Amino acid sequence: MDLSLVLPTSSSPSRHLIFSPFKTTPIRVQSLKAPRTSLRCRFRLSAATEVEETVSSGKPSVFGLPKELTPPQKIVDTLPPPVRLASYVVFTGAALAAGFGLGFRFGRSQAAGIGGAAVLGVAAGAAVYGVNSSVPEVAALNLHNLVTGYDDPTELKKEDVEAIVEKYGVSRQDEAFREELRDLYSRFVSSVIPPGAENLKGNEVEAIIKFKNALGIDDPDAASVHMEIGRHIFRQRLETGDREADVEQRRAFQKLVYVSTLVFGEASKFLLPWKRIFKVTDAQVDIAIRDNAQRLFAVKLNSVGRDIGETQLIDARASQLLYRLSDEIAADMFREHTRKLAEENISTAVDLLKSRMQAGRTTQVVEEIEKVLALNDLLSRLSKHPESSRFVPGVGPISLLGGEFDSDRKIDDLKFLFRAYAVECFPNGRLEEQKLVALNQLKNIFGLGNREADAILLDITVKVYRKRLSQAVSSGDLEAASSKAAFLQNLCEELHFDPQKASEIHEEIYRQKLQQSVADGELSEEEVSSLLRIRVLLCIPQETVDAAHADICGRLFEKVVKDAIASGVDGYDADIRASVRKASQGLRLTKEAAIAIASKAVRKVFLNYVQRSRGAGNRIEAAKELKKMIAFNTLVVTELISDIKGEPITAEPIEVEIKPTEEEDEWESLQTLRKSRPNKDLEAKLGKGGQTEINLKDDLSERDRTDLYRTYLLFCLSGEVTVVPFGAQITTKKDNSEYLLLNQLGGILGLTGKEIVEVHRNLAEQAFMKQAEVILADGQLTKSKIDQLNEVQKQVGLPAEYAQKVIKNITTTKMAAAIETAVSQGRIGIQQVRELKEASVDLDSMISERLRENLFKKTVEEIFSSGTGLFDEEEVYVKIPADLNIDAEKAKGVVQDIAKHRLSNSLVQAVALLRQRNRDGVVASLNDMLACDSAVASEPLSWSSPEELADLYCVYLKSIPKREKLDRLQYLLGINDSTAAILRDTAERGALPIGNEEEEIVF
């Protein structure tokens, strides 16, 4: 089946002439066309007549016109069931009697009479059967006429149908009566469900259920009727070629599915096999139910207005459950409904605001907003009602999100509307508590952010606060108040205004007044008094006043300072000084604020000098730029600080005559050259001390400042280089005046005394180190070299302790290389290491850890190959690792590895020496084996020739060893006690064979 059968569609309604799927009679109703035939239908000859009568009467009927009974049917209709049965018996008896009489009369025998009775009895039985079989049809006709007689079929009562059943004694399962029931039910269902794109009215399910119960039709039969109607819709959709008709059939099928599901309830899952017959999925059925339930619920919500009550909400909840609409969808639809109600008022308010005729519009705008707020308040109260669980879901505050005004273009209208309403919330210059609550509700309804709403409200509140503050000042109420702060606080509380924002307004008012007062460049006494009055009235803190003066007056003063600085060392004359003093005193700046302003401008100039110094090509040019900065500080900045502080002007500086060279006279006329270096008068003034309050301590890092100081210090030490013809250079000797400038440079750079001393010391240390490295090139420190180093120390002025440290570093470095080479070559052992440590030589820095570990291995191997048989655990495991500064645990592991390896090798070496008849070598090898065993206890060793092991024991026995060593050797060689006793007895008698053989060889 096409899945579009259950998808939501919309089209115009249409009327159809449908046929009952259970009778061939066509019915003209506003519903779907039923199938023309059915397997269980009975065709009736009166169908055409019935249609003609229906059409000619001009009165459409769901079930057609009443039907008339035929004469036999009228007879049956007049006989009650008992009379009808008695008539059947009498008629059959009479037929039997008549047949017997006729047969006996004509046949002249009893057999002929019986035959005649049988013939007439069969005929009578057939007649009775025919009459009796028409009883269900008569009952069906009477049921049809009964239903037809009702103007409203839903008024049919179940008792009336039961009366017809009892009257004729028929069963509901009789084919004719059953088909009539199905036919009536089919006609009614088809007439109740709106055709085409018409929406359900909501009473269809109730009407169908009521009519079904009145007819008493079984659920399976009723369900088959619904399925037959569905089949007809499906066939009709396949036959139609019109797109609009196709859409109508699709909508009709959706409505049929929805109504059928509600009629049969839970039983619809097995009574209505949509999926099996029409290939419809459960999801598609759910969609059909959901869409139709939404349409019905939307119709229900249309009756809910702004005066929402508890009864309406409970009724809406009941309708929701009846329509089988989920709580989530119902909540969304109810919220959408209330949102649309609010949008109507909001749209009206926006149109009023945008209209050109503003007179009287504001009141109407407020009224519309009040309606929205009233509706929102009503919904909020209902959401907290004790019986809110019985209400339709979605009852709560209104929100415009997702509606007409949920767009960037419309949000501006909402802000405009919010502002208009907020303005009207200050009717008397006050903001009542209830108005504030209303504004918060309106903000939530409009979906405005806190920042947006607060900005609008703040803008309006600021204007109202300024207006009321102006009125309070002009009327004298503020000045007459005993407590200015309490008066202002009360004003803020009336407006629900943040006191901090009010303080900002006070500061802005003060700044505006100050700006107007200093327009002429200074503050008069009257202006100062006026500013003081404003400060007192508005309760402005002193720090705020100082900041305002520093900002506004500071900008004016900064301009004066920049002009003074821009005049340079030549242009800072009496006029400039007078302007600085006037600005400093006339603007009423504190000395700290004025110096801070001057400091900012001066430090920029200092940094320009520093930048040019760093960009210089060599050290001499860099030092010259620093020298210009020192001159600028002495001749301009120092005088500027003096003028700011108001110190008296001193006498003219002493002139020092400096004879210029011929080359300087030659180029003196060039203005660029004159500006690039100080003139005679300025050079004479260089001896004056400079200020240190303004420095570059916070602008440059310590390293940068010390580098600049070191650069000028090197310049003081090396002197200025003069280039003469033929490319030669002559160094000009400097006097102590350069060091005076160096001292001033330290103050400009903000260096402390400790930092300056550190620079001098490092420089002296570097100079001393360079010459000491030349003197101690061979690493030997002799008396003559010591004298040379002392002379160099005096020349550079380096303290003795630092000089000794330099000498020690040099000698230590030289010595470290020599010691490491000796260790690598094996010329230094553990004994030499201990002697060096006693001489306070730091071996850890001279000998790498790897070489120290190798030296330890070499020492251990020497112990295991010494031939003494001695192994001192404390010496090997503790003292030697401590002397070499290596890990003791790691050293112990190394010892054990070497001992395990050399234990078996010592036995092999002893046997080899035994075979060479080298008794001393055998004893030494056996001692080494015992030493290894002392380090790592071993199991008895195996050897292929026990006689050789006995010979080794005998040789060692003759060396007169200690008893414990001899016993340990016996254990290691695997010699039992009896054999050892025999060998010892033989040795005591002096009859050991190994000894005689050796003596014979020697002889």
Side-chain angles (χ1 to χ4, degrees), residues 626-686:
L626 294 177
K627 190 172 182 179
K628 294 178 183 179
M629 182 174 67
I630 297 170
F632 172 77
N633 179 67
T634 303
L635 301 177
V636 178
V637 181
T638 302
E639 300 296 341
L640 179 65
I641 297 299
S642 176
D643 294 334
I644 291 174
K645 292 182 177 180
E647 297 175 353
I649 301 176
T650 59
E652 293 294 331
I654 301 175
E655 294 185 0
V656 179
E657 183 179 359
I658 301 176
K659 295 182 179 180
T661 61
E662 296 179 359
E663 183 180 357
E664 289 177 347
D665 289 338
E666 181 180 359
W667 298 99
E668 188 64 22
S669 60
L670 292 177
Q671 184 178 3
T672 56
L673 178 61
R674 184 172 66 252
K675 290 185 177 181
S676 66
R677 65 175 184 270
N679 55 25
K680 299 176 182 179
D681 296 336
L682 296 178
E683 290 180 356
K685 295 178 183 179
L686 289 177

Side-chain angles (χ1 to χ4, degrees), residues 905-958:
N905 291 343
S906 297
L907 177 61
V908 174
Q909 185 177 3
V911 172
L913 294 173
L914 176 66
R915 293 172 181 175
Q916 298 175 10
R917 303 297 187 266
N918 186 347
R919 192 185 67 172
D920 294 335
V922 171
V923 173
S925 296
L926 293 176
N927 281 331
D928 293 339
M929 185 175 66
L930 291 172
C932 294
D933 180 68
S934 299
V936 181
S938 174
E939 297 293 330
L941 303 175
S942 61
W943 191 254
S944 59
S945 176
E947 292 80 5
E948 289 183 330
L949 296 178
D951 291 342
L952 291 176
Y953 184 80
C954 292
V955 171
Y956 194 74
L957 182 61
K958 291 188 68 176

Side-chain angles (χ1 to χ4, degrees), residues 770-804:
K770 288 182 180 180
Q771 299 187 44
E773 287 178 348
V774 176
I775 296 173
L776 299 174
D778 57 354
Q780 300 297 325
L781 187 61
T782 62
K783 186 177 183 303
S784 60
K785 292 182 179 180
I786 291 176
D787 294 338
Q788 294 180 16
L789 292 172
N790 290 336
E791 185 66 23
V792 174
Q793 175 192 346
K794 293 178 182 179
Q795 291 178 0
V796 299
L798 186 66
E801 56 178 331
Y802 292 101
Q804 291 299 325

Side-chain angles (χ1 to χ4, degrees), residues 16 86 109 124 236 300 309 386 413 505-506 574 601 631 674 721 748 757 808 822 880 939 971 995:
H16 300 281
S109 66
Q236 192 173 28
K300 182 65 179 179
D413 294 339
I505 294 176
H506 300 163
R674 184 172 66 252
V721 177
I748 297 172
V757 170
K808 183 178 180 181
I880 297 178
E939 297 293 330
Y971 173 77

Side-chain angles (χ1 to χ4, degrees), residues 318-610:
S319 299
Q320 175 215 339
L321 297 177
L322 176 64
Y323 301 152
R324 296 185 64 176
L325 187 65
S326 65
D327 290 347
E328 181 180 358
I329 297 177
D332 291 340
M333 293 183 66
F334 187 82
R335 282 192 288 265
E336 182 181 1
H337 177 69
T338 55
R339 184 181 66 241
K340 288 181 178 179
L341 293 176
E343 286 176 350
E344 293 177 3
N345 298 110
I346 294 173
S347 299
T348 303
V350 171
D351 294 339
L352 291 173
L353 279 179
K354 292 183 177 180
S355 62
R356 296 183 178 181
M357 300 297 293
Q358 295 293 334
R361 299 290 187 181
T362 305
T363 304
Q364 298 179 16
V365 170
V366 173
E367 290 177 356
E368 296 295 331
I369 297 300
E370 293 290 349
K371 292 179 182 178
V372 176
L373 292 173
L375 178 61
N376 183 75
D377 183 64
L378 175 61
L379 291 172
S380 299
R381 285 188 283 104
L382 288 173
S383 65
K384 301 175 183 178
H385 195 276
E387 297 185 357
S388 59
S389 59
R390 299 176 58 193
F391 295 165
V392 66
V395 177
I398 302 172
S399 175
L400 297 183
L401 296 178
E404 176 186 353
F405 289 91
D406 188 14
S407 63
D408 295 338
R409 185 174 59 87
K410 293 288 187 178
I411 195 65
D412 294 334
D413 294 339
L414 295 179
K415 291 179 181 179
F416 187 35
L417 193 60
F418 184 82
R419 177 181 291 275
Y421 184 77
V423 169
E424 297 301 320
C425 291
F426 296 86
N428 300 319
R430 290 177 174 82
L431 179 61
E432 301 296 337
E433 187 68 29
Q434 59 182 3
K435 291 294 184 181
L436 183 62
V437 173
L439 285 172
N440 288 329
Q441 292 180 358
L442 191 62
K443 175 191 69 175
N444 295 331
I445 294 173
F446 287 174
L448 299 178
N450 291 332
R451 183 178 300 179
E452 297 172 325
D454 292 345
I456 295 173
L457 189 59
L458 177 63
D459 184 37
I460 298 172
T461 310
V462 166
K463 294 179 180 178
V464 176
Y465 182 80
R466 282 180 173 273
K467 182 179 180 180
R468 290 200 59 185
L469 185 63
S470 176
Q471 292 174 354
V473 172
S474 60
S475 64
D477 294 341
L478 180 57
E479 190 169 6
S482 58
S483 174
K484 311 296 189 296
F487 184 90
L488 296 174
Q489 180 65 28
N490 183 53
L491 182 59
C492 291
E493 291 176 357
E494 290 180 358
L495 297 175
H496 295 277
F497 192 42
D498 185 6
Q500 182 63 33
K501 297 292 184 182
S503 299
E504 295 176 2
I505 294 176
H506 300 163
E507 181 182 355
E508 183 180 354
I509 294 173
Y510 186 86
R511 283 176 171 269
Q512 291 176 353
K513 181 63 177 178
L514 179 60
Q515 189 75 38
Q516 296 172 0
S517 301
V518 298
D520 57 351
E522 60 180 346
L523 288 173
S524 62
E525 292 296 333
E526 182 180 354
E527 292 170 338
V528 172
S529 300
S530 177
L531 291 171
L532 179 61
R533 177 175 176 271
I534 293 176
R535 176 195 165 192
V536 172
L537 290 177
L538 301 182
C539 300
I540 302 175
Q542 182 61 43
E543 54 269 18
T544 303
V545 173
D546 294 341
H549 280 262
D551 183 22
I552 298 174
C553 299
R555 288 198 296 268
L556 298 176
F557 184 70
E558 183 181 7
K559 183 177 182 303
V560 175
V561 170
K562 288 183 177 180
D563 293 340
I565 293 174
S567 63
V569 294
D570 291 333
Y572 197 81
D573 52 14
D575 295 337
I576 297 296
R577 298 189 65 177
S579 64
V580 172
R581 287 176 177 268
K582 178 183 176 182
S584 177
Q585 297 172 4
L587 293 174
R588 310 301 174 102
L589 287 171
T590 62
K591 293 182 180 180
E592 293 78 8
I595 291 178
I597 295 171
S599 174
K600 183 178 179 181
V602 169
R603 284 186 285 110
K604 287 183 179 180
V605 179
F606 283 166
L607 291 174
N608 288 335
Y609 280 115
V610 171

